[in-house]
Amino acid sequence: MPDGNDRRPPRLPRRRLVRLFWSAHRRVYRLTRGRVGLWRPKGRRWGTMCLTTVGRRTGRERGVIVAYLEDGGNLVALAMNGWADAEPVWWLNLRENPDARVELKGGPRLVRARAASGPERERLWARWRQTEARLDDLAALRSRETAVVVLEPREPVAGR
């Protein structure tokens, strides 16, 4: 029986299985017109939102289900791509065009994205660590630092 000092590297599901789960989650969300698939964070559990970005190459809207925590009026996500080494496309899109829309269990919201840095990043990373005890071990599987993405509320732009 393993003790509490078990430091084996975390095992991740095969990439194909992760992508299948993401596709199924997104399909259920769309088929139910948003009635199933989103939930609010509660206690030490993260919530899910549908994040819609503008494609940096196509200019078309792209939607993805992303885990998040709340930090005051902001939403906080990790740009982790299922812990694969590549950056998630949604984060690449947000770096190019930080204005986005999110669907939450309580309704839609317009947001502007930015990467947290310094003490703010450390504080938010510690919050995420409360939801996942092996967060640092999982992050070590990537060759780059995982961005902590802050989605701040924004006002609609006239004419859009």
Side-chain angles (χ1 to χ4, degrees):
M1 186 167 176
D3 63 12
N5 296 323
D6 185 8
R7 295 306 300 172
R8 289 178 291 177
R11 289 186 50 196
L12 296 176
R14 292 180 185 242
R15 189 79 185 139
R16 188 173 180 171
L17 184 62
V18 170
R19 292 179 62 89
L20 179 67
F21 175 78
W22 286 341
S23 294
H25 190 165
R26 197 169 44 243
R27 187 167 296 137
V28 166
Y29 173 75
R30 287 181 180 152
L31 288 174
T32 63
R33 295 187 180 133
R35 290 187 307 274
V36 176
L38 301 182
W39 57 85
R40 294 174 192 250
K42 192 172 193 178
R44 292 181 177 237
R45 183 176 155 209
W46 41 264
T48 57
M49 64 179 161
C50 182
L51 171 67
T52 302
T53 63
V54 174
R56 66 194 183 288
R57 293 184 183 148
T58 65
R60 294 170 53 194
E61 289 191 343
R62 302 289 184 195
V64 62
I65 305 290
V66 177
Y68 76 98
L69 296 176
E70 294 175 330
D71 184 53
N74 297 335
L75 308 173
V76 181
L78 298 179
M80 64 171 186
N81 198 14
W83 301 112
D85 201 43
E87 294 283 29
V89 173
W90 62 264
W91 175 230
L92 298 174
N93 289 341
L94 286 173
R95 289 187 345 202
E96 188 79 21
N97 179 1
D99 289 344
R101 182 178 72 246
V102 296
E103 290 288 333
L104 302 169
K105 188 68 174 172
R109 186 184 299 183
L110 297 176
V111 294
R112 176 162 291 127
R114 64 177 176 79
S117 61
E120 179 189 38
R121 184 189 188 285
E122 292 172 23
R123 178 180 63 80
L124 295 173
W125 188 264
R127 293 251 340 264
W128 272 101
R129 194 181 291 123
Q130 293 173 352
T131 70
E132 174 55 61
R134 298 193 73 186
L135 183 65
D136 294 323
D137 294 333
L138 290 164
L141 297 173
R142 303 183 76 221
S143 67
R144 63 182 55 105
E145 182 176 80
T146 301
V148 176
V149 182
V150 178
L151 300 165
E152 300 172 322
R154 70 176 170 90
E155 295 297 320
V157 177
R160 282 194 191 173

